[in-house]
Amino acid sequence: MAGERTFVVKFISDTAAAKAGLKLLSGDIKGFGNQVSKTSPLFGALAVGATAAFGAIAVGLTKAVKAAMEDQKSQAELQRQLEKTFGANEALVGSAERYISVTQLRYGTSDVELRASLGTLVRATGDLTQSQDLLNTAQDISAATGKDLASVSLALAKASQGQFTALSKLGIPLDDNIKKS
């Protein structure tokens, strides 16, 4: 071990050397104590840092688990909506999920928001392709106006059924001929 010293005391033959050895030992113990007290704050800081790091990891893992649960819930809700509207099979649900993945990357919107908006549009139109087109339009309107995607999607869903008031309330100008049609 580094800094280790051997101490031999000869009590019978050399008391002066024993005194000197005890004095040296006492000095070594004090030096060791000083070293421990100097490094003790370092150990304390390391312990605090490690605790904070583990706490941050735990919080991050908790958030990740919650996000995964929310994601799974939104997938199940979209699947339920597609099955209810179309009697959808796994292929249609898979197609919708691929669309969500691509759209998420293209627009930077969370997949949970996209699934909710797509579900709203599917309920209103009864057509997955038209709903996807409307969702693309909703993304553009949301980006241009700063309105949230859910509100814009709901307004477009209502407009697809002939109710244009919601679009007007979002500040989207509509031609009078469109309102009459």
Side-chain angles (χ1 to χ4, degrees):
M1 196 168 160
E4 188 175 325
R5 294 187 183 178
T6 304
F7 179 72
V8 178
V9 178
K10 297 180 186 176
F11 285 105
I12 298 175
S13 64
D14 191 358
T15 56
K19 288 181 183 178
L22 289 174
K23 190 174 183 181
L24 180 64
L25 178 62
S26 174
D28 285 349
I29 290 173
K30 284 182 185 176
F32 178 73
N34 289 338
Q35 290 297 326
V36 168
S37 65
K38 287 179 186 176
T39 58
S40 169
L42 176 63
F43 288 130
L46 286 175
V48 169
T51 302
F54 287 127
I57 290 169
V59 168
L61 289 175
T62 301
K63 286 182 180 181
V65 168
K66 285 181 182 178
M69 288 171 42
E70 187 178 319
D71 188 58
Q72 187 175 25
K73 181 180 174 186
S74 72
Q75 285 177 349
E77 179 61 29
L78 179 61
Q79 181 175 355
R80 187 190 66 74
Q81 186 60 51
L82 292 173
E83 288 171 352
K84 186 177 177 182
T85 305
F86 306 116
N89 57 19
E90 289 297 318
L92 184 64
V93 172
S95 172
E97 282 298 326
R98 282 189 298 279
Y99 167 78
I100 293 292
S101 295
V102 169
T103 305
Q104 177 186 12
L105 294 174
R106 185 174 57 200
Y107 287 100
T109 305
S110 84
D111 55 348
V112 173
E113 288 180 87
L114 290 171
R115 285 188 194 101
S117 293
L118 185 60
T120 298
L121 293 166
V122 164
R123 275 190 303 279
T125 65
D127 183 323
L128 182 59
T129 303
Q130 183 182 3
S131 297
Q132 290 172 339
D133 291 341
L134 286 173
L135 184 55
N136 289 338
T137 303
Q139 289 275 32
D140 293 337
I141 293 170
S142 177
T145 63
K147 306 289 183 187
D148 65 287
L149 182 61
S151 299
V152 175
S153 297
L154 183 59
L156 285 175
K158 289 179 178 181
S160 73
Q161 296 174 338
Q163 302 171 13
F164 297 102
T165 307
L167 286 177
S168 298
K169 287 182 180 178
L170 285 176
I172 299 169
L174 297 174
D175 185 61
D176 287 335
N177 293 330
I178 292 174
K179 291 179 186 178
K180 291 177 185 176
S181 62

